[in-house]
Amino acid sequence: LQTQSQKTKRTDRHQHRQSFDKLPQHLKYRFSSMIKKTIASLVFLLVVGTTFAFLPVIPQTTEQHATSSSFLAAATSIVWLTGHEDLRVTNDHGGFMGALEEQKENDNDGVIQPVFILDPKIHLQSKSPSALKRLHKCLSSLEDDIASLCSSILVSPLVIQTGSACSLLPQLAQELEADSCHVIDNDVVTSMRTSQQVTCQALIDQGLTVRRWNNALRPSAPWAKTKTAASMPSFYPDYCEIIANQQVPMAKPRKKNNVLGTVAKTTTTTTTKLSTGTGTSVVPSLPELMEWSQSVTPSAVTDFRLSSQSKSAQSTVEPYEDLITNQFTSEQEVQKALDDYHRLGKDAFGDYLYHYSYDNQSNSNSMYAASVTRLVKECRPRDGLAVREVPTRTFSPALTMGTVSARDVMISSSRNTNNIDSSSNLNPSPWSWGRSSDESLTDVLEWREWFRLLADRSLALQERQGQTAATSGGEKEQSGDAREPGTVQYWRWKEQYLVRYLTWPAGKDYTKGNDDSPAMLLVHGFAASAEQWERLVYSLRKENMEINNDGKDTTPPIYAVDLLGFGHSEKPGLSYTQYLWESQLVDFAVEVIATPLIMVGNSIGGGLSAGAAASLGTKICQGLVLCNTAGVLVDPDIYEGYDKANDPTIRTWTDAALQGNPYEAPYRPVPLIGNNALDAFGTAIIQLIYPQIEKRLSIIYGHRMANADPAVVYAIQQSAASPGAANVIGSGQKLAPNRPLNEVLFMNDDDEKDNLKVMAVIGLDDQVSSPQVAQNRAKLFSKFNSDTVTVEELEDAGHCPHDEEPDMVAKSIWKWLLAATSSSSTRAISRKEEEKVYNSR
């Protein structure tokens, strides 16, 4: 009987142990903590009761009761990981360090609960396969790193939930009985910023303390200390003067052990089960992420991505994409890359890893990747790539996702440089020659910091009620024709580089999918920016309401984007080619607009829009307006297509571009001095042109000089003074041969009905290319099939007709749109009748 009783007791203990094991990890910690505290309290009471048995009893107050109750409670601190600069554990993570300090200050055994909310609209919708691969790799690595901490400090396994953070996180906080949440400061990308703002306010309303942290290089800068981003100057030289003496916090050197405690070598596999949403400590598999992404992505975007993967359409895969994803993504990988970069130096590191930009099997239909392959085909990467390209491509994805902090990288760069905070490094002399490995990496960090702060400043100004100075132009005097200011928003191209764009809402009577026009994407010319389209947008809306007679506003949603390297978009140290910008436009159309659209481009923006439209196809890009466009244009009567070689694998200029233009002269760097010469060349051009900007604009806007106002002048000056501008200009020497407009505009020449509808708006008094060139190009465009190409000649306009004569261009666009939509719809009205109706109105 005793033996049986012992067996029963052992079985009961085993069952209790199994039940305990099934508990969520954070409840185990809390339960164990309460047991320890209860035992300690009983011992304490026994000793105290024996010692003070004869003292009078003093009743406790309500406040004391509350203190006693809170002492026994184990508080939970949530660390919300957003995927924006915070997906790490071991180095310089303000969220984890703040939560740990909070637990120490409160002197309790609370739990730190890391949470990642997988928001379909932020992390999945229209995302590229490479972005999903990096996210999956970062989360998997982060999950393992956090699990290894569970045996050393009170950190629960990572919880991942799918849904909207503003609804899931408050519910989760309530279920965990959390009293605080640590989250990084607001991002500047619109979707993430809105989610952070709304979610943090919901947590505050619920009674939680929300503690924000950031990765700023200089937390002591005036605008950082006062939390007033709007007070930061918008001119880079002024910014440099203010922060020249601001110190970058010198964190402790990186170590193999964790800042939160020694990292155990073994990991746990505990699952945290919650009743709120879909919660698990298991990272979804990559196929699952791909499937979920496809389910929330518009069908037109999915079809385009599938066609590019099957090589039936051009891809936008970036150079070295597989290399970066496979070797420089997780926290451990990027720390190793950082050590190797400093050990080998920029040149040796780049020559070893970046000699080939892509393998032919996966990326052979990307002209962007091929254009960089061309640069290193006949020379070493140190000579073919931009001065800062190796550190830019290596560390930008990790810095954006947060598997390494900018401060940590800055400290590592100070090993051989003692003046990382000096103004000479922030804003080097225009005539300084070259950049060392440490200086190049420091430039990457400083440039990223400037453009992030500039974006935060614009958004802070915009979020002030009644404030309209969110753009550079909005800060200066405006004159001339009326403008309609756009709403400033930001997008991160390739999940790495900030891109500013302006949006204008659809008219109140606009109906998507009916006879109304699809969305419009406006693309500026060289040295210009998105602000230059504000006058045309005003005229488009005004003209639209006049056409409708009844005053209805059926203007479609309108977007204007800053090309990378111009305006408020970043100017990373890359090799800029036409195919980089075309890929940016394709990705913007797919990831941001994600609906059928019409592209309108001026100057170089016209040529880039034509190339992007050809890649997108007519299902997405349904029309193209070219305003004094750049690009090679050959007389249709003599054009014979690609004729550089008798090669059956290269039949078109596009085929040649995809193979790195093998039959053209290869790229040759400047002997002996290499790419440093291109930076010097770009600097010299800026120094020459900068004092003449106002004068040159008065010539370009000769028929409407009032429109060349201080706002337009300052927007160009500000961009030219920003870091990276010299590299953008110097990269002009690296451009691959252009595909002729004859080819890109008529990619479907075998099936004429599928060709893009095009309108060429040409200001005949073009003072950039010359009036004679403008007149000749108008004649060449007129030789194309009039059912496909429409030509509008404007005698009283020059190189920028959309900003010099916005009313005339707006009328031409609506007239062309009415004719184009009528030819492809079921309206029982001919093109001439439609135009007659328009003219009568």
Side-chain angles (χ1 to χ4, degrees):
L1 289 175
Q2 280 184 335
T3 302
Q4 184 64 35
S5 175
Q6 291 171 352
K7 289 181 178 179
T8 303
K9 290 180 179 179
R10 283 198 299 270
T11 302
D12 291 343
R13 285 198 301 270
H14 180 68
Q15 290 175 345
H16 288 314
R17 181 62 184 171
Q18 284 184 324
S19 299
F20 181 78
D21 288 341
K22 292 180 180 179
L23 287 172
Q25 187 73 12
H26 67 281
L27 293 183
K28 287 184 185 179
Y29 287 134
R30 185 172 297 178
F31 186 63
S32 300
S33 173
M34 292 179 68
I35 291 176
K36 292 177 184 177
K37 286 184 176 180
T38 302
I39 294 173
S41 300
L42 290 174
V43 173
F44 176 78
L45 289 174
L46 179 62
V47 175
V48 173
T50 304
T51 306
F52 300 100
F54 299 99
L55 294 180
V57 178
I58 301 175
Q60 291 181 315
T61 65
T62 305
E63 184 176 353
Q64 287 173 323
H65 277 295
T67 304
S68 176
S69 174
S70 63
F71 174 76
L72 290 175
T76 297
S77 297
I78 292 176
V79 177
W80 176 22
L81 304 169
T82 65
H84 156 58
E85 297 187 359
D86 60 4
L87 295 184
R88 64 183 179 277
V89 181
T90 58
N91 288 288
D92 191 25
H93 194 293
F96 282 110
M97 290 191 292
L100 186 61
E101 288 298 320
E102 186 176 69
Q103 297 295 344
K104 290 180 180 179
E105 290 173 2
N106 295 336
D107 193 26
N108 61 34
D109 295 328
V111 178
I112 298 172
Q113 178 61 70
V115 177
F116 181 83
I117 306 295
L118 186 65
D119 190 320
K121 292 184 178 179
I122 296 175
H123 302 110
L124 299 177
Q125 183 175 309
S126 298
K127 295 299 181 182
S128 67
S130 63
L132 297 175
K133 289 177 185 176
R134 288 173 190 166
L135 177 62
H136 176 263
K137 194 169 186 179
C138 288
L139 290 177
S140 298
S141 175
L142 184 68
E143 181 185 40
D144 291 341
D145 290 343
I146 292 175
S148 68
L149 293 174
C150 295
S151 61
S152 57
I153 58 176
L154 298 180
V155 177
S156 288
L158 176 65
V159 167
I160 297 178
Q161 294 195 319
T162 303
S164 174
C166 62
S167 60
L168 290 180
L169 205 56
Q171 296 176 37
L172 178 62
Q174 185 175 12
E175 184 173 341
L176 295 174
E177 299 180 5
D179 59 1
S180 66
C181 179
H182 298 256
V183 59
I184 194 167
D185 276 346
N186 293 336
D187 191 8
V188 296
V189 172
T190 306
S191 56
M192 178 66 78
R193 185 181 186 88
T194 302
S195 175
Q196 288 173 296
Q197 290 172 332
V198 174
T199 303
C200 288
Q201 188 59 52
L203 292 172
I204 293 172
D205 294 342
Q206 195 168 292
L208 271 74
T209 300
V210 176
R211 304 189 187 280
R212 311 304 295 269
W213 61 280
N214 61 63
N215 290 310
L217 292 178
R218 297 173 181 82
S220 60
W223 46 85
K225 291 177 67 175
T226 59
K227 299 291 184 182
T228 53
S231 65
M232 193 194 82
S234 62
F235 199 58
Y236 185 68
D238 296 342
Y239 163 83
C240 291
E241 287 184 11
I242 294 175
I243 67 168
N245 298 318
Q246 297 289 332
Q247 297 296 312
V248 176
M250 300 298 287
K252 295 180 180 179
R254 291 187 292 111
K255 297 180 180 180
K256 291 183 180 179
N257 60 335
N258 197 284
V259 295
L260 299 177
T262 301
V263 180
K265 292 183 179 180
T266 59
T267 61
T268 62
T269 56
T270 306
T271 298
T272 304
K273 296 181 179 179
L274 299 163
S275 61
T276 304
T278 304
T280 177
S281 64
V282 179
V283 175
S285 67
L286 182 57
E288 286 176 325
L289 285 179
M290 295 282 194
E291 183 180 351
W292 294 349
S293 174
Q294 186 172 335
S295 68
V296 296
T297 299
S299 58
V301 174
T302 301
D303 292 343
F304 170 75
R305 285 258 163 82
L306 291 175
S307 64
S308 63
Q309 290 172 16
S310 65
K311 302 183 181 180
S312 61
Q314 277 76 53
S315 165
T316 62
V317 166
E318 65 177 326
Y320 310 106
E321 187 168 285
D322 290 341
L323 170 69
I324 295 167
T325 301
N326 295 333
Q327 297 192 33
F328 309 139
T329 297
S330 71
E331 187 171 0
Q332 293 80 10
E333 289 171 345
V334 74
Q335 295 290 3
K336 181 182 182 301
L338 194 56
D339 291 337
D340 290 343
Y341 178 87
H342 290 301
R343 178 173 58 85
L344 298 172
K346 175 183 64 176
D347 291 343
F349 181 86
D351 288 348
Y352 177 71
L353 289 169
Y354 285 80
H355 187 63
Y356 298 104
S357 72
Y358 68 97
D359 60 77
N360 292 328
Q361 183 177 356
S362 61
N363 300 342
S364 60
N365 62 329
S366 169
M367 287 181 285
Y368 174 28
S371 68
V372 176
T373 299
R374 169 181 169 270
L375 299 178
V376 297
K377 186 176 181 180
E378 300 289 336
C379 61
R380 297 173 300 179
R382 71 176 69 186
D383 299 318
L385 300 179
V387 172
R388 303 164 185 85
E389 189 154 3
V390 167
T392 298
R393 292 196 182 277
T394 301
F395 299 109
S396 289
L399 287 165
T400 300
M401 301 194 79
T403 53
V404 68
S405 83
R407 286 191 294 258
D408 193 31
V409 178
M410 180 71 86
I411 302 312
S412 73
S413 296
S414 68
R415 293 173 180 172
N416 304 317
T417 308
N418 296 320
N419 63 336
I420 61 173
D421 296 308
S422 71
S423 58
S424 62
N425 256 326
L426 284 167
N427 198 18
S429 165
W431 309 116
S432 60
W433 183 259
R435 302 294 279 168
S436 69
S437 297
D438 291 324
E439 289 171 336
S440 295
L441 184 52
T442 299
D443 287 344
V444 173
L445 303 172
E446 294 286 8
W447 296 5
R448 286 174 59 90
E449 178 90 342
W450 158 252
F451 285 107
R452 181 190 62 79
L453 289 171
L454 183 63
D456 205 22
R457 177 185 186 276
S458 295
L459 295 174
L461 287 169
Q462 184 169 265
E463 288 165 358
R464 285 183 181 179
Q465 193 168 4
Q467 177 62 260
T468 60
T471 62
S472 300
E475 301 179 43
K476 301 296 180 180
E477 179 186 352
Q478 297 181 355
S479 61
D481 293 316
R483 303 170 180 252
E484 182 177 334
T487 299
V488 175
Q489 300 193 58
Y490 280 86
W491 163 66
R492 203 170 263 114
W493 183 46
K494 299 296 183 187
E495 308 300 322
Q496 298 172 62
Y497 312 117
L498 280 178
V499 171
R500 183 189 69 163
Y501 64 100
L502 305 183
T503 62
W504 292 267
K508 59 183 177 61
D509 303 300
Y510 176 80
T511 306
K512 182 178 178 181
N514 282 358
D515 292 335
D516 294 330
S517 168
M520 288 187 185
L521 172 57
L522 315 178
V523 185
H524 63 80
F526 195 84
S529 62
E531 295 147 90
Q532 200 185 40
W533 295 101
E534 290 178 334
R535 292 191 178 95
L536 178 64
V537 173
Y538 177 88
S539 296
L540 283 170
R541 198 179 298 278
K542 180 183 69 172
E543 184 65 21
N544 176 270
M545 290 188 287
E546 290 180 4
I547 294 172
N548 289 328
N549 276 339
D550 52 7
K552 288 184 177 181
D553 182 2
T554 58
T555 307
I558 300 176
Y559 302 77
V561 64
D562 280 345
L563 293 170
L564 204 70
F566 299 106
H568 283 214
S569 287
E570 275 192 63
K571 297 174 175 60
L574 304 174
S575 296
Y576 289 81
T577 69
Q578 65 270 50
Y579 300 120
L580 177 149
W581 286 312
E582 284 182 17
S583 294
Q584 178 196 344
L585 294 178
V586 169
D587 287 342
F588 184 84
V590 167
E591 296 182 15
V592 179
I593 302 179
T595 62
L597 55 87
I598 289 170
M599 300 184 77
V600 183
N602 169 236
S603 190
I604 188 177
L608 298 174
S609 296
S615 296
L616 288 167
T618 54
K619 287 185 178 179
I620 295 180
C621 185
Q622 299 182 350
L624 181 65
V625 178
L626 304 175
C627 299
N628 284 66
T629 185
V632 176
L633 183 62
V634 181
D635 189 333
D637 295 337
I638 61 173
Y639 178 70
E640 296 181 353
Y642 186 80
D643 57 355
K644 296 294 181 178
N646 186 20
D647 187 338
T649 65
I650 301 181
R651 297 177 298 172
T652 65
W653 287 93
T654 300
D655 291 339
L658 289 170
Q659 297 189 34
N661 299 100
Y663 297 105
E664 303 290 333
Y667 171 71
R668 302 286 188 187
V670 180
L672 300 179
I673 53 180
N675 277 323
N676 291 328
L678 299 186
D679 263 21
F681 171 77
T683 299
I685 293 297
I686 291 175
Q687 295 292 315
L688 174 66
I689 299 297
Y690 192 90
Q692 306 176 35
I693 290 176
E694 188 172 359
K695 179 180 178 181
R696 286 177 176 267
L697 284 175
S698 67
I699 297 173
I700 293 172
Y701 285 72
H703 291 273
R704 190 72 172 124
M705 293 181 62
N707 285 4
D709 57 18
V712 173
V713 173
Y714 180 67
I716 296 175
Q717 290 174 333
Q718 185 207 44
S719 179
S722 292
N727 174 60
V728 177
I729 294 176
S731 290
Q733 306 302 310
K734 298 180 177 181
L735 293 178
N738 271 313
R739 296 183 293 166
L741 292 173
N742 305 63
E743 178 174 305
V744 296
L745 294 179
F746 308 105
M747 295 288 282
N748 298 307
D749 204 36
D750 294 337
D751 192 356
E752 198 168 285
K753 68 179 183 348
D754 288 335
N755 274 327
L756 197 64
K757 302 296 182 183
V758 180
M759 180 172 71
V761 178
I762 301 178
L764 296 178
D765 192 20
D766 190 330
Q767 297 299 318
V768 175
S769 61
S770 83
Q772 183 62 45
V773 169
Q775 293 168 13
N776 289 339
R777 288 174 74 84
K779 292 178 182 178
L780 292 179
F781 273 116
S782 300
K783 290 187 176 184
F784 291 104
N785 188 334
S786 60
D787 290 334
T788 302
V789 178
T790 302
V791 180
E792 286 288 339
E793 300 179 13
L794 304 179
E795 292 185 0
D796 296 327
H799 190 69
C800 302
H802 61 287
D803 202 32
E804 189 178 8
E805 295 292 346
D807 285 348
M808 296 172 64
V809 175
K811 289 180 180 180
S812 298
I813 289 177
W814 284 123
K815 180 179 179 180
W816 168 75
L817 272 176
L818 285 169
T821 54
S822 67
S823 65
S824 59
S825 68
T826 57
R827 292 182 183 181
I829 185 170
S830 69
R831 176 177 174 181
K832 291 184 178 180
E833 290 172 333
E834 190 75 47
E835 292 179 359
K836 184 178 179 181
V837 172
Y838 175 90
N839 292 330
S840 68
R841 290 174 176 173

